[in-house]
Coordinates of all heavy atoms in Angstrom, one line a residue:
N1 N 46.8 -94.3 0.0 CA 48.2 -94.3 0.4 C 48.4 -93.5 1.6 O 47.5 -92.7 2.0 CB 49.1 -94.0 -0.8 CG 49.1 -92.5 -1.2 OD1 48.9 -91.6 -0.4 ND2 49.2 -92.3 -2.5
E2 N 49.6 -93.6 2.2 CA 49.8 -92.9 3.5 C 49.7 -91.4 3.4 O 49.1 -90.8 4.3 CB 51.2 -93.3 3.9 CG 51.5 -92.7 5.3 CD 52.9 -93.1 5.8 OE1 53.5 -94.1 5.3 OE2 53.4 -92.5 6.8
S3 N 50.1 -90.8 2.3 CA 50.0 -89.4 2.2 C 48.5 -88.9 2.2 O 48.2 -87.8 2.7 CB 50.8 -88.8 1.0 OG 50.2 -89.3 -0.2
D4 N 47.7 -89.7 1.6 CA 46.2 -89.4 1.6 C 45.6 -89.5 3.0 O 44.9 -88.7 3.4 CB 45.4 -90.3 0.6 CG 45.7 -89.9 -0.8 OD1 46.0 -88.8 -1.1 OD2 45.5 -90.8 -1.7
I5 N 46.0 -90.5 3.7 CA 45.5 -90.8 5.1 C 46.0 -89.6 6.0 O 45.2 -89.1 6.8 CB 46.0 -92.1 5.6 CG1 45.4 -93.3 4.8 CG2 45.6 -92.3 7.1 CD1 43.9 -93.4 4.7
K6 N 47.2 -89.2 5.8 CA 47.8 -88.2 6.7 C 47.5 -86.8 6.2 O 47.6 -85.8 6.9 CB 49.3 -88.3 6.8 CG 49.7 -89.5 7.7 CD 51.2 -89.5 7.7 CE 51.7 -89.9 9.1 NZ 53.1 -89.9 9.2
G7 N 47.1 -86.7 4.9 CA 46.9 -85.4 4.3 C 45.6 -84.6 4.7 O 44.9 -85.1 5.6
R8 N 45.4 -83.6 4.1 CA 44.2 -82.7 4.5 C 43.0 -82.8 3.5 O 42.0 -82.1 3.8 CB 44.7 -81.2 4.6 CG 45.7 -81.0 5.7 CD 45.0 -81.2 7.0 NE 46.0 -81.3 8.1 CZ 45.8 -81.7 9.3 NH1 44.6 -82.1 9.6 NH2 46.7 -81.8 10.2
R9 N 43.2 -83.6 2.4 CA 42.1 -83.7 1.5 C 40.9 -84.3 2.2 O 41.0 -85.1 3.0 CB 42.5 -84.5 0.3 CG 43.5 -83.8 -0.6 CD 44.0 -84.6 -1.8 NE 42.9 -85.2 -2.5 CZ 43.0 -86.2 -3.3 NH1 44.2 -86.8 -3.4 NH2 42.0 -86.7 -3.9
K10 N 39.7 -83.8 1.8 CA 38.5 -84.2 2.4 C 37.5 -84.8 1.5 O 36.3 -84.8 1.7 CB 37.8 -83.0 3.2 CG 38.7 -82.6 4.3 CD 38.0 -81.5 5.1 CE 38.9 -81.1 6.3 NZ 38.2 -80.1 7.1
T11 N 37.9 -85.5 0.4 CA 37.0 -86.2 -0.5 C 36.4 -87.3 0.3 O 37.1 -87.9 1.2 CB 37.7 -86.6 -1.8 OG1 38.7 -87.5 -1.4 CG2 38.2 -85.5 -2.6
S12 N 35.2 -87.7 -0.1 CA 34.5 -88.7 0.7 C 35.3 -90.0 0.8 O 35.4 -90.6 1.9 CB 33.2 -89.0 0.0 OG 32.5 -90.0 0.6
N13 N 35.9 -90.5 -0.3 CA 36.6 -91.8 -0.2 C 37.8 -91.7 0.7 O 38.1 -92.7 1.4 CB 36.9 -92.4 -1.5 CG 37.8 -91.5 -2.4 OD1 37.8 -90.2 -2.2 ND2 38.5 -92.0 -3.3
I14 N 38.5 -90.6 0.7 CA 39.7 -90.4 1.5 C 39.3 -90.3 3.0 O 39.9 -90.9 3.9 CB 40.5 -89.2 1.1 CG1 41.2 -89.6 -0.3 CG2 41.6 -88.9 2.1 CD1 41.9 -88.4 -0.9
V15 N 38.2 -89.5 3.3 CA 37.8 -89.4 4.7 C 37.4 -90.8 5.2 O 37.7 -91.1 6.3 CB 36.6 -88.4 4.8 CG1 36.0 -88.4 6.1 CG2 37.1 -87.0 4.5
T16 N 36.6 -91.5 4.4 CA 36.2 -92.9 4.9 C 37.5 -93.7 5.2 O 37.5 -94.4 6.2 CB 35.3 -93.5 3.9 OG1 34.1 -92.8 3.7 CG2 34.9 -94.9 4.3
A17 N 38.4 -93.7 4.3 CA 39.6 -94.5 4.5 C 40.4 -94.0 5.7 O 40.9 -94.9 6.5 CB 40.5 -94.4 3.2
R18 N 40.5 -92.8 5.9 CA 41.1 -92.2 7.1 C 40.4 -92.6 8.4 O 41.0 -93.1 9.3 CB 41.1 -90.7 7.0 CG 41.9 -89.9 8.0 CD 41.9 -88.4 7.7 NE 42.6 -88.1 6.5 CZ 42.1 -87.2 5.6 NH1 41.0 -86.6 5.8 NH2 42.8 -87.0 4.5
F19 N 39.1 -92.5 8.4 CA 38.3 -92.9 9.5 C 38.4 -94.4 9.8 O 38.5 -94.8 11.0 CB 36.8 -92.5 9.4 CG 36.6 -91.0 9.6 CD1 37.6 -90.1 9.7 CD2 35.3 -90.6 9.8 CE1 37.4 -88.8 10.0 CE2 35.0 -89.3 10.1 CZ 36.1 -88.3 10.2
V20 N 38.4 -95.2 8.8 CA 38.6 -96.7 9.0 C 39.9 -97.0 9.5 O 40.1 -97.8 10.4 CB 38.3 -97.4 7.7 CG1 38.8 -98.9 7.8 CG2 36.8 -97.4 7.3
T21 N 41.0 -96.3 9.0 CA 42.3 -96.4 9.6 C 42.3 -96.1 11.1 O 42.9 -96.9 11.9 CB 43.3 -95.5 8.8 OG1 43.3 -95.9 7.4 CG2 44.7 -95.6 9.4
I22 N 41.7 -95.0 11.4 CA 41.7 -94.7 12.9 C 40.9 -95.7 13.7 O 41.4 -96.2 14.7 CB 41.0 -93.3 13.0 CG1 41.9 -92.2 12.4 CG2 40.6 -93.0 14.5 CD1 41.3 -90.8 12.2
Y23 N 39.8 -96.2 13.1 CA 39.0 -97.2 13.8 C 39.9 -98.5 14.0 O 39.9 -99.1 15.1 CB 37.8 -97.5 13.0 CG 36.9 -98.6 13.6 CD1 36.0 -98.4 14.6 CD2 37.0 -99.9 13.2 CE1 35.2 -99.4 15.2 CE2 36.3 -100.9 13.7 CZ 35.4 -100.7 14.7 OH 34.6 -101.7 15.2
L24 N 40.6 -98.9 13.0 CA 41.4 -100.1 13.1 C 42.6 -99.9 14.1 O 42.9 -100.8 14.8 CB 41.9 -100.5 11.7 CG 40.9 -101.0 10.7 CD1 41.5 -101.1 9.3 CD2 40.3 -102.3 11.2
L25 N 43.2 -98.8 14.1 CA 44.2 -98.5 15.0 C 43.7 -98.6 16.4 O 44.4 -99.1 17.3 CB 44.9 -97.2 14.7 CG 45.8 -97.1 13.5 CD1 46.2 -95.7 13.2 CD2 47.1 -97.9 13.8
R26 N 42.6 -98.1 16.7 CA 42.0 -98.1 18.0 C 41.6 -99.5 18.4 O 41.7 -100.0 19.5 CB 40.8 -97.2 18.2 CG 41.2 -95.8 18.3 CD 41.9 -95.4 19.6 NE 41.0 -95.4 20.7 CZ 41.3 -95.7 21.9 NH1 42.5 -96.0 22.2 NH2 40.4 -95.7 22.9
T27 N 41.0 -100.3 17.4 CA 40.5 -101.6 17.7 C 41.6 -102.6 17.8 O 41.6 -103.5 18.7 CB 39.6 -102.0 16.5 OG1 38.5 -101.1 16.4 CG2 39.0 -103.4 16.8
L28 N 42.7 -102.5 17.0 CA 43.7 -103.6 16.9 C 45.0 -103.3 17.7 O 45.9 -104.1 17.7 CB 44.0 -103.9 15.5 CG 42.8 -104.3 14.6 CD1 43.2 -104.5 13.2 CD2 42.2 -105.6 15.2
T29 N 45.1 -102.1 18.2 CA 46.3 -101.7 19.0 C 45.9 -101.2 20.3 O 44.8 -101.0 20.6 CB 47.1 -100.6 18.2 OG1 46.5 -99.4 18.3 CG2 47.4 -101.0 16.8
D30 N 47.0 -101.0 21.1 CA 46.7 -100.4 22.5 C 47.0 -98.9 22.5 O 47.2 -98.3 23.5 CB 47.5 -101.2 23.5 CG 49.0 -101.1 23.3 OD1 49.5 -100.6 22.2 OD2 49.8 -101.6 24.1
K31 N 47.1 -98.3 21.3 CA 47.4 -96.9 21.2 C 46.2 -96.1 21.7 O 45.1 -96.4 21.4 CB 47.8 -96.5 19.8 CG 49.1 -97.2 19.3 CD 49.8 -96.4 18.3 CE 51.1 -97.1 17.9 NZ 52.1 -97.2 18.9
S32 N 46.5 -95.0 22.3 CA 45.5 -94.1 22.8 C 45.1 -93.1 21.7 O 45.8 -93.0 20.6 CB 46.1 -93.2 24.0 OG 47.1 -92.4 23.5
S33 N 44.0 -92.5 21.9 CA 43.6 -91.5 20.9 C 44.6 -90.4 20.6 O 44.9 -90.1 19.4 CB 42.2 -90.9 21.3 OG 41.2 -91.8 21.3
P34 N 45.2 -89.9 21.6 CA 46.3 -88.9 21.3 C 47.5 -89.5 20.6 O 48.0 -88.8 19.7 CB 46.7 -88.4 22.7 CG 45.5 -88.6 23.6 CD 44.9 -89.9 23.1
E35 N 47.8 -90.7 20.8 CA 48.9 -91.3 20.1 C 48.6 -91.5 18.6 O 49.4 -91.3 17.7 CB 49.3 -92.7 20.7 CG 50.0 -92.6 22.1 CD 50.1 -93.9 22.8 OE1 49.2 -94.8 22.8 OE2 51.2 -94.2 23.3
I36 N 47.4 -92.0 18.4 CA 46.9 -92.1 17.0 C 46.8 -90.8 16.3 O 47.2 -90.6 15.2 CB 45.5 -92.8 17.0 CG1 45.7 -94.3 17.5 CG2 44.9 -92.8 15.6 CD1 44.4 -95.0 17.7
G37 N 46.4 -89.8 17.0 CA 46.3 -88.4 16.4 C 47.7 -88.0 16.0 O 47.9 -87.4 15.0
K38 N 48.7 -88.2 16.9 CA 50.1 -87.9 16.5 C 50.6 -88.6 15.3 O 51.2 -88.0 14.4 CB 51.0 -88.2 17.7 CG 52.3 -87.5 17.7 CD 53.0 -87.7 19.0 CE 54.1 -86.7 19.2 NZ 54.8 -86.8 20.5
L39 N 50.3 -89.9 15.2 CA 50.7 -90.7 14.0 C 50.1 -90.1 12.7 O 50.7 -90.2 11.7 CB 50.2 -92.1 14.2 CG 50.9 -93.0 15.1 CD1 50.2 -94.4 15.3 CD2 52.4 -93.3 14.6
L40 N 48.8 -89.7 12.8 CA 48.1 -89.2 11.6 C 48.0 -87.7 11.5 O 47.2 -87.2 10.6 CB 46.7 -89.9 11.6 CG 46.7 -91.4 11.6 CD1 45.3 -91.9 11.7 CD2 47.4 -92.0 10.4
D41 N 48.7 -87.0 12.3 CA 48.7 -85.5 12.2 C 47.3 -85.0 12.4 O 46.8 -84.1 11.7 CB 49.3 -85.0 10.9 CG 50.7 -85.4 10.7 OD1 51.5 -85.5 11.7 OD2 51.1 -85.6 9.6
R42 N 46.6 -85.5 13.4 CA 45.2 -85.1 13.7 C 45.1 -84.9 15.2 O 45.9 -85.4 16.0 CB 44.2 -86.2 13.4 CG 44.1 -86.6 11.9 CD 43.5 -85.4 11.1 NE 43.2 -85.7 9.8 CZ 44.0 -85.5 8.8 NH1 45.3 -85.2 9.0 NH2 43.7 -85.7 7.5
D43 N 44.1 -84.1 15.6 CA 44.0 -83.8 17.0 C 43.1 -84.9 17.7 O 42.4 -85.7 17.0 CB 43.5 -82.4 17.3 CG 42.1 -82.2 16.8 OD1 41.3 -83.1 16.6 OD2 41.7 -81.0 16.5
H44 N 43.1 -84.9 19.0 CA 42.4 -85.9 19.8 C 40.9 -86.0 19.4 O 40.3 -87.0 19.3 CB 42.6 -85.6 21.2 CG 41.9 -86.5 22.2 ND1 40.8 -86.2 22.9 CD2 42.1 -87.8 22.5 CE1 40.4 -87.2 23.6 NE2 41.2 -88.2 23.4
A45 N 40.3 -84.8 19.2 CA 38.9 -84.7 18.9 C 38.5 -85.4 17.6 O 37.5 -86.0 17.4 CB 38.4 -83.3 18.9
T46 N 39.4 -85.2 16.6 CA 39.2 -85.8 15.3 C 39.2 -87.3 15.4 O 38.4 -88.0 14.8 CB 40.3 -85.4 14.3 OG1 40.2 -83.9 14.2 CG2 40.1 -86.0 13.0
I47 N 40.1 -87.9 16.2 CA 40.2 -89.3 16.4 C 38.9 -89.8 17.1 O 38.3 -90.8 16.6 CB 41.4 -89.7 17.3 CG1 42.7 -89.1 16.7 CG2 41.5 -91.2 17.6 CD1 43.0 -89.5 15.3
L48 N 38.4 -89.1 18.1 CA 37.2 -89.6 18.8 C 36.0 -89.5 17.8 O 35.2 -90.4 17.8 CB 36.9 -88.7 20.0 CG 37.9 -88.8 21.1 CD1 37.6 -87.9 22.2 CD2 38.0 -90.3 21.6
N49 N 36.0 -88.4 17.0 CA 34.9 -88.3 16.0 C 34.9 -89.4 15.0 O 33.9 -90.0 14.6 CB 35.0 -86.9 15.3 CG 34.0 -86.7 14.2 OD1 32.8 -86.9 14.5 ND2 34.4 -86.4 13.0
A50 N 36.1 -89.8 14.5 CA 36.2 -90.9 13.5 C 35.8 -92.2 14.1 O 35.0 -92.9 13.5 CB 37.7 -91.0 13.1
E51 N 36.2 -92.5 15.3 CA 35.8 -93.7 16.0 C 34.2 -93.8 16.1 O 33.6 -94.8 15.8 CB 36.4 -93.8 17.4 CG 37.8 -94.0 17.5 CD 38.3 -93.9 18.9 OE1 37.8 -94.7 19.7 OE2 39.2 -93.1 19.2
S52 N 33.6 -92.7 16.5 CA 32.2 -92.6 16.7 C 31.5 -92.8 15.3 O 30.5 -93.6 15.2 CB 31.8 -91.3 17.3 OG 30.4 -91.1 17.4
K53 N 32.0 -92.1 14.3 CA 31.3 -92.2 13.0 C 31.4 -93.6 12.4 O 30.3 -94.1 11.9 CB 32.0 -91.3 12.0 CG 31.9 -89.8 12.3 CD 30.7 -89.2 11.6 CE 30.7 -87.7 11.8 NZ 29.5 -87.1 11.7
I54 N 32.5 -94.3 12.5 CA 32.6 -95.6 12.0 C 31.8 -96.6 12.8 O 31.1 -97.5 12.3 CB 34.1 -96.1 11.9 CG1 34.8 -95.2 10.9 CG2 34.2 -97.6 11.6 CD1 34.3 -95.3 9.4
S55 N 31.8 -96.5 14.1 CA 31.0 -97.3 15.0 C 29.5 -97.2 14.6 O 28.8 -98.2 14.5 CB 31.2 -97.0 16.5 OG 32.5 -97.3 16.9
D56 N 29.1 -96.0 14.4 CA 27.7 -95.7 14.0 C 27.4 -96.3 12.7 O 26.3 -97.0 12.5 CB 27.3 -94.2 14.0 CG 27.2 -93.6 15.4 OD1 27.2 -94.4 16.4 OD2 27.3 -92.4 15.5
R57 N 28.3 -96.1 11.7 CA 28.0 -96.7 10.4 C 28.0 -98.2 10.4 O 27.3 -98.8 9.6 CB 29.1 -96.1 9.4 CG 28.8 -94.7 8.9 CD 29.7 -94.3 7.8 NE 29.7 -95.2 6.7 CZ 30.6 -95.2 5.7 NH1 31.5 -94.3 5.7 NH2 30.5 -96.0 4.7
L58 N 28.8 -98.8 11.2 CA 28.9 -100.3 11.2 C 27.5 -100.9 11.7 O 27.2 -102.0 11.3 CB 30.0 -100.7 12.2 CG 31.4 -100.6 11.6 CD1 32.4 -100.9 12.7 CD2 31.6 -101.5 10.4
K59 N 26.7 -100.1 12.4 CA 25.4 -100.6 12.8 C 24.5 -100.7 11.7 O 23.5 -101.5 11.7 CB 24.8 -99.7 13.9 CG 25.6 -99.7 15.2 CD 25.1 -98.6 16.1 CE 26.0 -98.5 17.3 NZ 25.7 -97.3 18.2
N60 N 24.6 -99.9 10.6 CA 23.7 -99.9 9.5 C 24.2 -100.1 8.2 O 23.5 -100.0 7.2 CB 23.0 -98.5 9.5 CG 22.3 -98.2 10.8 OD1 21.6 -99.0 11.3 ND2 22.6 -97.0 11.4
D61 N 25.5 -100.5 8.1 CA 26.2 -100.6 6.8 C 26.9 -102.0 6.7 O 28.1 -102.1 7.1 CB 27.2 -99.5 6.6 CG 27.7 -99.4 5.2 OD1 27.7 -100.5 4.5 OD2 28.3 -98.4 4.8
P62 N 26.2 -103.0 6.3 CA 26.8 -104.4 6.3 C 28.0 -104.4 5.3 O 28.9 -105.2 5.6 CB 25.6 -105.3 5.8 CG 24.5 -104.4 5.4 CD 24.8 -103.0 5.9
Q63 N 28.0 -103.7 4.3 CA 29.1 -103.7 3.4 C 30.4 -103.2 4.0 O 31.5 -103.7 3.9 CB 28.8 -102.9 2.1 CG 30.0 -102.9 1.1 CD 30.3 -104.3 0.6 OE1 29.4 -105.1 0.4 NE2 31.6 -104.5 0.3
L64 N 30.3 -102.1 4.8 CA 31.4 -101.5 5.5 C 31.9 -102.5 6.6 O 33.1 -102.8 6.7 CB 31.0 -100.2 6.2 CG 32.2 -99.5 7.0 CD1 33.3 -99.2 6.1 CD2 31.6 -98.3 7.7
E65 N 30.9 -103.1 7.3 CA 31.3 -104.2 8.3 C 32.1 -105.3 7.6 O 33.1 -105.7 8.1 CB 30.0 -104.7 8.9 CG 30.3 -105.7 10.0 CD 29.0 -106.2 10.7 OE1 27.9 -106.1 10.1 OE2 29.2 -106.8 11.8
F66 N 31.6 -105.8 6.5 CA 32.3 -106.8 5.7 C 33.7 -106.4 5.4 O 34.6 -107.2 5.5 CB 31.5 -107.2 4.5 CG 32.2 -108.2 3.6 CD1 32.2 -109.6 3.9 CD2 32.8 -107.8 2.5 CE1 32.8 -110.5 3.1 CE2 33.5 -108.7 1.7 CZ 33.5 -110.1 2.0
E67 N 33.8 -105.2 4.8 CA 35.1 -104.7 4.4 C 36.1 -104.6 5.6 O 37.3 -105.0 5.5 CB 35.0 -103.4 3.7 CG 34.3 -103.6 2.3 CD 34.0 -102.2 1.6 OE1 34.4 -101.2 2.1 OE2 33.3 -102.3 0.6
I68 N 35.6 -104.1 6.7 CA 36.5 -103.9 7.9 C 36.9 -105.3 8.4 O 38.0 -105.5 8.7 CB 35.8 -103.0 8.9 CG1 35.8 -101.6 8.5 CG2 36.5 -103.2 10.3 CD1 35.1 -100.6 9.4
N69 N 35.9 -106.2 8.5 CA 36.2 -107.5 8.9 C 37.2 -108.2 8.0 O 38.1 -109.0 8.5 CB 34.9 -108.4 9.1 CG 34.1 -107.9 10.3 OD1 34.7 -107.4 11.3 ND2 32.8 -108.2 10.3
T70 N 37.1 -108.0 6.7 CA 38.1 -108.6 5.8 C 39.5 -108.0 6.0 O 40.5 -108.8 6.0 CB 37.6 -108.3 4.3 OG1 36.3 -108.9 4.1 CG2 38.6 -108.9 3.3
I71 N 39.6 -106.7 6.3 CA 40.9 -106.1 6.6 C 41.4 -106.7 7.8 O 42.6 -107.0 7.9 CB 40.7 -104.6 6.7 CG1 40.4 -104.0 5.3 CG2 42.0 -103.9 7.2 CD1 39.9 -102.5 5.4
I72 N 40.6 -106.8 8.9 CA 41.1 -107.4 10.1 C 41.6 -108.8 10.0 O 42.6 -109.2 10.5 CB 40.0 -107.3 11.2 CG1 39.7 -105.8 11.6 CG2 40.3 -108.1 12.5 CD1 38.5 -105.6 12.5
K73 N 40.8 -109.6 9.2 CA 41.2 -111.0 8.9 C 42.6 -111.0 8.2 O 43.5 -111.8 8.6 CB 40.1 -111.7 8.1 CG 40.4 -113.1 7.9 CD 39.3 -113.7 7.1 CE 39.6 -115.1 6.6 NZ 38.6 -115.6 5.7
D74 N 42.7 -110.1 7.2 CA 44.0 -110.1 6.5 C 45.2 -109.7 7.4 O 46.3 -110.2 7.3 CB 43.9 -109.1 5.3 CG 43.0 -109.6 4.2 OD1 42.7 -110.8 4.2 OD2 42.7 -108.8 3.3
I75 N 44.9 -108.7 8.3 CA 46.0 -108.3 9.2 C 46.4 -109.4 10.1 O 47.6 -109.6 10.4 CB 45.5 -107.0 10.0 CG1 45.4 -105.8 9.0 CG2 46.4 -106.7 11.1 CD1 44.7 -104.6 9.6
K76 N 45.4 -110.1 10.6 CA 45.7 -111.1 11.6 C 46.3 -112.4 11.0 O 46.8 -113.2 11.8 CB 44.4 -111.4 12.4 CG 44.1 -110.3 13.4 CD 42.9 -110.7 14.2 CE 42.6 -109.6 15.2 NZ 41.6 -109.9 16.2
S77 N 46.2 -112.6 9.7 CA 46.7 -113.8 9.1 C 48.1 -113.7 8.5 O 48.7 -112.7 8.5 CB 45.8 -114.3 8.1 OG 45.6 -113.4 7.0

């Protein structure tokens, strides 16, 4: 939920969801990293780190790629 994405908890599943949210915002919108950071109460460096981590994971994690592509398909339909 939104409070988990914006919150400070760092459990693995929440961090992954937060990072995927950041990745999707960068991929599907024209918002800049600072704008996304402001939306999610994070600094610019955190946004860049999240983008990098998810991009790297997508190269080696077909399940994550499938899940992100499913989310994108749902958003666009």
